[in-house]
Amino acid sequence: MKKVGFFGGKFLPLHMGHVYVITKAACMVEELYVILSYSKSRDSLLCQAGRIPDLPHSVRLQWLTTVTRDMENVKVLAVEDDAPSDETYDWEKGAYEIKKAIGKPIDVVFSSEHSYDPIFKRLYPDAEHVVIDSDRSHYPVSGTAIRKHGPYRYWDYIPNAVKSYFVKKVAIVGTESCGKSTLTRYLAQIYGTTYVEEYGRTICEEIGGCDGIINEEHFKEIVFGHKYMEYQKVKEANKVLFIDSEAVVSQYYAELYLGYPCSWIEGAILAQNYDLYLYLEPDVPWIDDGFRVHGDEKIRQCNNEKLKQMFQERNIPIVTIRGSYLERLEQAKRAVDQLLFG
């Protein structure tokens, strides 16, 4: 068995083809160094030119560390370069920095490309070049393809540690009894994914109601408990996560039940990042479930305009959903499909 080997790349993004090479290479050397080569400007431009969000090297470094955490002989290192593009990458300088980072004689250089033979022979004359899965038969995927077509086409080839970064988060909002919970569950069912329940409803059920008895401490539990549930559910999501209500809705209910806004909720609003807001108009029948108290039609419309204005004041774009339950489902599905694949 050889002593020291390394496998390098941009991992933009990390996919199962990379994981396969890393795993197999780790079985062939005593020490394997996984080198993340990054350039902030080049990598950002590559992401912008494709269909993926910007992927800072710190995120990719965390992915690599997570997928190799149980591989005792694998160490992940990041090496920065200043190349503005792949075509201008300085291979000699890059090899020098990689050798310096590893700090040991390199016995094996791993890759998936036979075309690297000449340059690796020149830059690492004392190392063997071992090519693993050059025809991509185990995982027919590449970072270039994911950037070009988006991650959702290659979802099965993306490691679990990476998927949550690409999950789109859809907030379903609206006033009392407008069908948020129903639509949230139905969409999750259609897309085969998870969802986050309205935590405010959970708290109201625990304390026996809302009107007249809910206080600011309860709202803290609602806002932060809801966010914690979101962080947990996104790890299980399949491409998209549906969230029933969010912090703007919580602020709306704080003003409704407490009589004043909570300044700390505004911080939660600024911190949240949803990819799509589906705003449900209250044009379905109001249902008295024992916790709702604003069924008068004039009050419903007044509350609806107030909540809608709260989103407008915070410059949060919304997609309005209205009509029958079937029409709502179809409108919502079109918006989500556009978000994922459009």
Side-chain angles (χ1 to χ4, degrees):
M1 179 181 285
K2 300 284 187 178
K3 285 191 175 182
V4 178
F6 91 85
F7 173 58
K10 296 187 294 291
F11 305 104
L12 199 65
L14 177 67
H15 53 71
M16 287 304 300
H18 294 135
V19 176
Y20 178 74
V21 174
I22 292 170
T23 305
K24 195 166 182 178
C27 298
M28 301 169 68
V29 290
E30 293 180 9
E31 294 178 82
L32 177 67
Y33 288 84
V34 178
I35 305 296
L36 168 61
S37 296
Y38 73 96
S39 163
K40 294 179 182 178
S41 58
R42 176 196 63 219
D43 298 350
S44 180
L45 288 172
L46 284 171
C47 292
Q48 291 174 23
R51 299 185 60 187
I52 61 174
D54 197 22
L55 299 176
H57 83 278
S58 58
V59 171
R60 287 173 278 156
L61 191 65
Q62 178 258 303
W63 290 343
L64 288 165
T65 302
T66 299
V67 300
T68 61
R69 67 184 182 275
D70 295 325
M71 301 180 185
E72 296 178 353
N73 66 327
V74 176
K75 185 173 183 179
V76 179
L77 301 173
V79 175
E80 186 175 10
D81 65 79
D82 56 4
S85 67
D86 286 339
E87 291 75 17
T88 58
Y89 178 71
D90 189 333
W91 285 86
E92 284 75 13
K93 183 179 179 182
Y96 171 80
E97 295 296 338
I98 289 172
K99 292 173 184 177
K100 185 171 71 171
I102 294 175
K104 299 176 182 180
I106 298 171
D107 301 304
V108 187
V109 179
F110 295 99
S111 82
S112 294
E113 304 286 347
H114 288 287
S115 60
Y116 289 153
D117 275 335
I119 195 165
F120 283 163
K121 186 174 182 179
R122 176 167 58 86
L123 297 177
Y124 306 95
D126 299 323
E128 178 186 2
H129 179 210
V130 174
V131 178
I132 299 175
D133 198 28
S134 62
D135 59 358
R136 308 296 199 275
S137 59
H138 287 83
Y139 293 100
V141 66
S142 68
T144 302
I146 294 175
R147 293 195 301 273
K148 180 178 179 180
H149 300 291
Y152 310 110
R153 179 180 295 189
Y154 302 96
W155 196 251
D156 292 340
Y157 299 136
I158 295 177
N160 290 334
V162 177
K163 285 180 176 177
S164 61
Y165 193 87
F166 292 119
V167 169
K168 295 293 187 182
K169 293 187 289 185
V170 178
I172 299 172
V173 299
T175 57
E176 188 181 76
S177 191
C178 64
K180 296 189 299 296
S181 299
T182 298
L183 183 60
T184 300
R185 293 193 300 268
Y186 284 10
L187 287 172
Q189 185 77 8
I190 285 176
Y191 287 90
T193 189
T194 55
Y195 66 93
V196 179
E197 296 178 342
E198 183 183 11
Y199 203 58
R201 174 59 181 257
T202 301
I203 298 302
C204 287
E205 289 177 349
E206 286 182 1
I207 64 178
C210 291
D211 197 23
I213 61 173
I214 195 168
N215 59 43
E216 190 167 337
E217 289 302 309
H218 292 128
F219 275 97
K220 290 180 181 178
E221 188 174 0
I222 289 169
V223 172
F224 298 124
H226 191 272
K227 183 57 65 174
Y228 176 77
M229 289 174 59
E230 184 181 311
Y231 281 127
Q232 297 306 306
K233 290 292 186 177
V234 76
K235 300 174 185 177
E236 307 168 9
N238 175 27
K239 303 183 184 70
V240 59
L241 175 68
F242 297 101
I243 300 101
D244 184 348
S245 303
E246 44 68 83
V248 176
V249 175
S250 295
Q251 186 72 289
Y252 159 79
Y253 278 114
E255 294 187 25
L256 194 63
Y257 289 122
L258 303 179
Y260 60 87
C262 298
S263 58
W264 55 268
I265 294 183
E266 290 302 316
I269 294 171
L270 290 173
Q272 65 188 14
N273 56 332
Y274 299 111
D275 300 284
L276 176 65
Y277 286 81
L278 300 179
Y279 189 97
L280 274 60
E281 293 284 353
D283 56 355
V284 292
W286 185 82
I287 299 174
D288 184 0
D289 63 355
F291 292 93
R292 297 166 178 161
V293 295
H294 302 97
D296 180 84
E297 190 59 32
K298 290 184 178 179
I299 295 177
R300 286 186 84 191
Q301 293 304 321
C302 181
N303 288 341
N304 180 51
E305 292 304 316
K306 176 179 175 57
L307 178 58
K308 200 179 295 185
Q309 184 179 357
M310 291 176 70
F311 282 102
Q312 293 172 352
E313 290 171 348
R314 292 159 179 80
N315 296 314
I316 298 174
I318 58 174
V319 174
T320 303
I321 304 294
R322 54 168 54 89
S324 68
Y325 286 107
L326 177 59
E327 290 169 336
R328 289 162 177 256
L329 183 65
E330 291 174 343
Q331 293 168 33
K333 189 175 183 304
R334 283 196 296 270
V336 174
D337 285 347
Q338 177 67 26
L339 176 68
L340 292 176
F341 308 111

